[in-house]
Structures are given as structure tokens and as C-alpha cells.
Amino acid sequence: MPHPLDAAAVRAWCALALDALGRAREEIDAINVYPVADGDTGTNLYLTAESAVRAVEAVFEAHATAGPGARPGLSEAVRAMAHGALIGARGNSGTILAQLFRGMAEVLKDSGGSDQGHLLGRALRRAVDSAYEGVARPVEGTVLTVAAAAADAAARTEGDAAAVARAAHTAARTALEATPGQLAALGRAGVVDAGGKGLVEVLGALVAALEGGATPDARPARISAPRPADGCPAGGAHGAAPGTGPAFEVIYLLEADDAAVARLRARLDALGESLVVVGGDGLWNVHVHVDDAGAAVEAGVDAGRPYRIRITHFGAAADERTRAPEPAQRAVVAVVPGEGLAALCAEAGATVVPVRPGEPPASGELVEAVRRAHAREVVLLPNDPDLRHTAAAAAEQARAEGVRVALIPTRSPVQGVAALAVHEPGRRFDEDVVAMTSAAGATRYAELTVAESRSWTMAGVCQAGDVLGLIDGDVAVIGADLAATAATVLDRMLAAGGELVTLVVADDAPAGFAEGLERHVRGGHLAVDTVVYRGGRQPAPLLIGVE
């Protein structure tokens, strides 16, 4: 069934776009040859979309405090999406994506009584116009070309919003396949435009959100890894060999009025290239490639108040790192819920990223944790299946900064504890990663939680207030009592064998809960050891690991 273009659809679109970009991130990075062949377009688009998702979720959470039925309107949701993307935009393509969202929001915020198909078509057209306005020197064969084709198709299409989105997505795919013939750098490398590929993924997610189905296949016919042509390297900025363009990428948020920004555009356009200035209403995101990074920042200071300044030196580690204290050889970064486990992992030497209830960490937080670890080699333990794309994006960004990162796909904190227990910094990196991966993989995991509403599960129908026992991520037991349900889950897990049971108990668990489970294991499962940790204020009353 088609879904109306409302706040819920915007929320679903953002979530689906983030997932699609997460899955396509490495492929998009691999085909990134224009404007600079620095292999980060997929990661930048993912981080931009991630910021949009967090902003939209924050709006929904704010309304939820007013009552279970309270929801934001379409206008509020699209404004949050655009603002989140603007403040979190990374790189050239991420900045353009943020402006596309902003252009759409300008139309969708005034949606009262409009035909939704026509409304979406107008929103896509405004998105493209605003993106072209934000780019100082537009180049065809890029994400702008793909966006324009999508908007043109949307304007020609009659029907509901889902039909318009489908037409826009189909046209974008076709336009993407044509980009190697429009831009010399792409043609020499034998790839489509990386930013355009990312936009196709985002439009595919819009189709899925409005049609209520899976994200359409966004893979065009011609995608490959960059290849040399005629003995020359893949094109860099404006088709030149990498290293011949400006030395620095400068990005910052800027508080300034329209007149000051107009002067800033002219000044930065004279300083460098790949200039994109997007935003409005006093807040702007500035992106430019220059040889004199200081002059680009100074121009922002003269225009208003720049902040969140990021300067990246193309093709080399930042000079600051060469002056930093000697890094350690190896470190472990672990995402951990609850202060009890956080303290345990910190005692074991890990750099900890604490998880706040309902607030999963963003990629930027994981990257900052890797930087804090200050090591040449880092093992990253996400400890949550929903963080797989976030952790992968963070690992890629850290690798671009010169850190050797191994991502072990731990799905539960108890798997992370098992991996950390066998960590030996004195081993060779590969051997240590293999040992930690094996320990995590040999640990089955479970958790107990309380159902918030009536719903269908793998174990049958549960009612609000029921205790759910999840084994390896699926509901396996439905019960009425916390202790009895935990005992049943333990029996099921140990039926397949086990030598060590790890129990991580929340502070609000009933008195004697952990001791009773220890007695249960001793009484029914000989030769099985039990270790109990106090998890603190963790989301689940109980986490279980069986090794």
C-alpha cells in the first residue's frame, strides 16, 4: 500500500537512506575520482544522512513526551531533516545532499491541501535549483546532473507521491549511467559519478518509504573500481592527476547574513575550487578546496562566526599528528551500555564509548574514540548489530587518518567482553584480531527485556508487560516472571553445551536475582562456571553470554 507523504514517511525515508548508504558506502568510496580521488564520498554521504536521521528522531522523541499519540507534522519533520543534514554535512557531495534536502523542505513545509504527487515534483525541482545555486561552478556529469534528471522526470509524472518518486528514481539511474560520457575523469576511470550513485540510493529509499516495500535496486549497469587509462592514474580534481589540485579541503559552519555570504562566495571562489556554500536563515555550511587553508578560514571570520572547522590535507596525514606524542601500538575501542560494563572494559584497557538509552553513538563519536585511543592499530567492538554501518563508516574514516583498524562485528556486549578477555597487545595484530573474533563468535548471547505493547514474535504473541527472552537477537521465550524466564533462556542455551555463563545484571533487577540464577546453573548444569557483572543502568535487565 502506498504511504502518504507525511512525517512518518520522512522518518522512514531517512532511516532507509542511511541503511542504503551504509550498504553502498564502500562501493561509492571505491569509485570516487571526482572532484578529488580521495575515496571518501560514500563515507561523507553516510555521515551526512546519519546527522539528518538523528535530527528527525529527536523531533519524534520530543513529541512523544507529550503523549503516545503525539507526532510531528510534515513541515517539522522535513525542516529537521534539512537542518540535521546541514550541520552534519561532510565533503562536496554531502554538502550538496544537504542543500537538496533544504530545497525540498522549502516546498514541503507549505503542504496544506496540495496534491502529493505534484507537491513532491515541485519539491524535487526546488531541491535541484537550490543545489545549483549553492555550487559556485556547476559541472555536468556529477550529482547535480543526476538530481536534475530526477526532477525533470518527476515534473512529467502524474499520480501519487509514490509514482512520482519511482519516476524520479528511474530517471536518476539512467542519468547516472550516462555520467562517464559527460565527465572526462569518470570516462578515463571507467566509473559512474560517486555522488550521483549516492543520490540514486537516497531516491531509492524515498521510493521504499512511500511504497512501503524494499529499497529498489540502485545498481546501474556500469560500476567498477577506478582503473588507469593509457598508463595514467584515475583523474583527480577537474580531471587532473591526483596531487595537482589544491592541497586542503576546508569545511565549516558559518553564522552570517545573506550579504556577508555573497561576499564570502566571491572571495573563496578566487581562493580555490569545488566551492559549495549552502544553507540560509543565518546558518550556512561552507566547503572549498584551497592551497591556503588559513585564508579560507579567515574569510569565514570576516563574514561572520565560523565553527566546527574541519581542515583535511589531501593525500597526507594531518601535520598535527606528526607532532603528537608517540602513539601506542594497539588499543581496543568498545561501545558499551551501562556504567558497570563500561568500568569493566576500561579496567581491561579499552577506550569506552558509553551508550545512552535510546541514543546510539554516531560515527563521529566512534572516530573520536579511536583518536583518543591514540594507537597505530585499533580493534573496534560495536557490540550491537544496529551499529554495523556506523562502525564501518567510523573505521573507514579512521583508516583515512592513518590508523590500522579491525572491525570485529560483535552483536552484544557479552561478545565484546569475551573478545576483550583474550586480547593480547603483544601478539601480532592479525593474530590478536583472529583470537578476539573467535572468542566473540564462540559466545552465544541473550537478553531479557519487557514488552511495551502487544505484538507478534518468533515465539508467539506477547502482551504489554510480558518478559521476553531474546536468544541471538530473536524472541525465544515469553514469560510473566523475570527470574523464571531467565532460567528458561539459560536452559535452552546450555542445552547445546557451554563452559562459562556470563550474567550482566542491571541495577534495577530484583534483589537476589543474580544469586538465584547462579544457583540454577550450578544445580542443573554441572561443570559450567558462572560469572556475574553489575551492568549499572543498562537498557536490558539482564544480558547473558554462553561460551
Side-chain angles (χ1 to χ4, degrees):
M1 285 287 294
H3 194 289
L5 180 57
D6 57 11
V10 172
R11 186 186 199 183
W13 178 25
C14 289
L16 289 166
L18 184 65
D19 184 65
L21 289 170
R23 286 184 275 107
R25 181 187 56 77
E26 291 185 0
E27 181 180 15
I28 296 173
D29 282 346
I31 63 171
N32 172 202
V33 299
Y34 184 88
V36 176
D38 50 353
D40 64 357
T41 292
T43 299
N44 287 336
L45 286 169
Y46 179 88
L47 294 172
T48 303
E50 182 181 54
S51 185
V53 167
R54 291 172 71 86
V56 172
E57 288 302 317
V59 166
F60 271 83
E61 289 168 9
H63 276 265
T65 62
R71 295 287 187 273
L74 174 61
S75 174
E76 194 172 359
V78 295
R79 285 201 305 267
M81 175 183 71
H83 180 73
L86 177 69
I87 64 175
R90 302 291 186 97
N92 193 300
S93 294
T95 308
I96 292 173
L97 178 63
Q99 188 70 349
L100 289 168
F101 284 166
R102 179 179 176 83
M104 292 186 71
E106 290 176 4
V107 173
L108 296 178
K109 69 181 181 182
D110 300 320
S111 58
S114 299
D115 170 75
Q116 290 206 325
H118 179 65
L119 178 70
L120 180 57
R122 288 196 297 113
L124 289 170
R125 170 49 56 197
R126 178 58 194 142
V128 172
D129 291 344
S130 61
Y132 271 91
E133 291 165 4
V135 178
R137 300 178 185 274
V139 174
E140 296 308 312
T142 65
V143 61
L144 293 174
T145 307
V146 175
D152 289 344
R156 295 192 301 267
T157 302
E158 299 293 333
D160 59 16
V164 171
R166 171 68 69 178
H169 176 248
T170 300
R173 288 184 61 187
T174 301
L176 178 63
E177 293 181 39
T179 55
Q182 297 171 307
L183 196 54
L186 303 178
R188 286 196 298 270
V191 298
V192 296
D193 180 65
K197 162 68 175 166
L199 180 59
V200 169
E201 297 286 351
V202 171
L203 291 173
L206 176 60
V207 174
L210 294 173
E211 291 188 343
T215 306
D217 179 18
R219 185 184 300 274
R222 296 185 64 208
I223 289 186
S224 62
R227 56 172 172 76
D230 301 324
C232 298
H238 297 285
T244 61
F248 296 96
E249 178 186 58
V250 178
I251 304 174
Y252 49 81
L253 291 177
L254 177 70
E255 293 179 356
D257 59 33
D258 291 3
V261 169
R263 294 191 296 271
L264 176 67
R265 289 180 194 271
R267 187 168 170 182
L268 291 179
D269 191 33
L271 277 176
E273 55 191 46
S274 297
L275 173 62
V276 184
V277 181
V278 302
D281 301 321
L283 180 63
W284 308 82
N285 190 303
V286 179
H287 168 281
V288 67
H289 295 172
V290 293
D291 282 320
D292 189 343
V297 175
E298 182 182 349
V301 172
D302 290 344
R305 186 178 79 87
Y307 60 103
R308 291 197 189 181
I309 300 168
R310 294 192 298 272
I311 300 174
T312 303
H313 184 246
F314 292 125
D319 292 339
E320 287 79 3
R321 286 204 300 274
T322 65
R323 297 193 295 268
E326 187 69 17
Q329 183 59 35
R330 190 173 311 156
V332 177
V333 172
V335 180
V336 184
E339 60 271 21
L341 271 186
L344 174 70
C345 293
E347 281 180 25
T351 298
V352 172
V353 180
V355 176
R356 299 170 292 276
E359 296 183 29
S363 297
E365 292 179 69
L366 300 187
V367 173
E368 286 302 319
V370 171
R371 291 171 181 151
R372 286 201 316 274
H374 195 53
R376 297 184 181 90
E377 302 165 340
V378 170
V379 180
L380 180 56
L381 305 174
N383 297 333
D384 185 337
D386 292 335
L387 291 179
R388 62 192 186 280
H389 294 323
T390 301
E396 191 67 27
Q397 185 169 345
R399 291 182 189 118
E401 296 178 7
V403 181
R404 187 181 184 189
V405 180
L407 171 60
I408 299 179
T410 46
R411 301 171 64 83
S412 167
V414 293
Q415 289 189 324
V417 169
L420 194 55
V422 301
H423 167 56
E424 290 187 14
R427 276 193 297 228
R428 290 178 55 243
F429 185 63
D430 292 340
E431 292 175 354
D432 199 28
V433 171
V434 169
M436 295 176 72
T437 303
S438 297
T443 303
R444 297 189 68 199
Y445 63 95
E447 69 175 71
L448 263 62
T449 187
V450 178
E452 296 181 354
S453 61
R454 185 178 187 271
S455 61
W456 291 90
T457 75
M458 296 286 289
V461 179
C462 72
Q463 306 295 331
D466 282 348
V467 179
L468 307 181
L470 287 77
I471 299 177
D472 294 337
D474 293 322
V475 176
V477 179
I478 300 175
D481 178 75
L482 193 67
T485 305
T488 302
V489 169
L490 280 166
D491 289 341
R492 289 200 183 185
M493 296 179 77
L494 290 169
E499 298 176 356
L500 175 65
V501 170
T502 300
L503 304 175
V504 184
V505 184
D507 279 352
D508 56 1
F513 177 57
E515 292 78 5
L517 293 179
E518 285 187 278
R519 288 194 299 271
H520 179 81
V521 173
R522 283 199 306 269
H525 304 278
L526 300 178
V528 176
D529 294 326
T530 305
V531 59
V532 177
Y533 298 116
R534 299 295 169 179
R537 290 168 295 181
Q538 63 187 32
L542 176 68
L543 302 174
I544 301 173
V546 174
E547 299 178 50

